[in-house]
């Protein structure tokens, strides 16, 4: 997916979730910035992540993020790569060790704009996170990366208890439960 394709997807993207719909225009505006895909854009930049589910759509793979100390979907910075599908797949592989990931569809699965707290040498900034739906085999061995404290499959029924209140993860969970995307 190049920048032009991404812009077209954003133009066509519709969501019934008010919070998500409210920042679609921010994502579209950001695509016009030449630094949008680089961390050097200190106000905020694109990231890509993967909502990884098993084939039966009963479990999701989450990582206990080392820096944030929270259970999250796998993902990371674009670092100049404008193909956010490639970014999402690369980050998912690097952070999980999974080699047999399947992109369910090339369309945007979810969008989330969230604040990243200030850290030494990194000011507070926004991540404009583009999420894609991936499928994986729960029996494939996992490898924890340096970015994680832990990595685990959670049943959909237990996700809310594990993550606490995180509306973007709860939204992806609900989308998966309602999804008409074929298994």
């Amino acid at each position: 997916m190049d920048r032009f394709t991404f812009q077209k997807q954003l133009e066509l993207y519709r969501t019934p979730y008010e919070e998500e719909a409210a920042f679609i225009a921010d994502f579209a505006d950001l695509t016009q910035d030449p630094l949008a895909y680089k961390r050097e854009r200190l106000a905020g930049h694109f990231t890509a992540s993967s909502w990884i589910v098993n084939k039966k759509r009963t479990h999701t793979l989450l990582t206990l993020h080392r820096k944030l100390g929270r259970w999250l979907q796998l993902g990371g910075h674009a670092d100049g790569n404008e193909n956010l599908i490639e970014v999402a797949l690369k980050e998912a592989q690097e952070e999980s060790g999974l080699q047999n990931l399947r992109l369910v569809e090339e369309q945007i699965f979810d969008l989330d704009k969230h604040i990243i707290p200030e850290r030494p040498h990194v000011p507070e900034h926004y991540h404009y996170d583009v999420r894609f739906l991936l499928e994986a085999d729960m029996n494939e061995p996992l490898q924890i990366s340096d970015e994680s404290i832990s990595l685990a499959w959670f049943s959909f029924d237990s996700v809310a208890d594990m993550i606490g209140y995180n509306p973007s993860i709860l939204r992806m969970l609900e989308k998966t439960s309602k999804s008409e995307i074929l298994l």
Side-chain angles (χ1 to χ4, degrees):
M1 172 193 304
D2 58 25
R3 188 184 291 238
F4 178 76
T5 303
F6 180 43
Q7 289 168 334
K8 288 292 181 197
Q9 281 197 19
L10 286 169
E11 286 174 18
L12 300 172
Y13 190 70
R14 300 293 178 266
T15 178
Y17 301 91
E18 289 181 30
E19 178 182 74
E20 184 183 20
F23 45 68
I24 293 172
D26 294 344
F27 277 69
D29 290 346
L30 185 57
T31 63
Q32 303 301 316
D33 190 317
L35 294 177
Y37 296 83
K38 297 183 178 186
R39 295 180 206 219
E40 290 80 13
R41 186 177 186 282
L42 297 179
H45 41 262
F46 285 123
T47 59
S49 61
S50 300
W51 181 246
I52 302 173
V53 297
N54 65 329
K55 187 171 178 109
K56 292 183 180 181
R57 306 292 196 275
T58 59
H59 289 75
T60 187
L61 181 64
L62 298 175
T63 181
L64 183 54
H65 196 277
R66 186 171 302 281
K67 289 179 184 171
L68 299 175
R70 297 176 23 205
W71 286 101
L72 301 170
Q73 76 282 356
L74 287 70
H77 289 92
D79 289 329
N81 186 349
E82 294 185 8
N83 186 330
L84 295 175
I85 291 173
E86 284 181 3
V87 174
L89 285 165
K90 176 181 160 277
E91 292 291 332
Q93 281 186 325
E94 287 177 358
E95 294 180 7
S96 70
L98 294 172
Q99 298 301 309
N100 298 306
L101 293 163
R102 183 180 83 81
L103 178 66
V104 174
E105 64 177 1
E106 294 189 9
Q107 303 301 311
I108 298 165
F109 178 67
D110 191 75
L111 296 170
D112 192 61
K113 179 181 170 185
H114 53 270
I115 198 82
I116 300 299
E118 181 178 1
R119 294 189 323 271
H121 310 296
V122 180
E124 179 180 86
H125 62 281
Y126 282 100
H127 277 179
Y128 293 75
D129 197 33
V130 182
R131 283 98 178 255
F132 297 94
L133 182 62
L134 272 63
E135 192 176 273
D137 182 349
M138 288 178 56
N139 296 315
E140 187 175 343
L142 299 172
Q143 294 178 335
I144 297 173
S145 75
D146 293 340
E147 296 182 28
S148 300
I149 296 169
S150 187
L151 191 63
W153 287 97
F154 293 100
S155 70
F156 285 0
D157 293 341
S158 68
V159 169
D161 292 334
M162 289 306 301
I163 65 163
Y165 181 71
N166 183 327
S168 77
I169 290 181
L170 295 175
R171 185 176 62 238
M172 289 188 292
L173 181 63
E174 186 174 328
K175 284 181 178 185
T176 308
S177 300
K178 292 181 176 181
S179 177
E180 295 180 9
I181 298 169
L182 296 177
L183 301 177

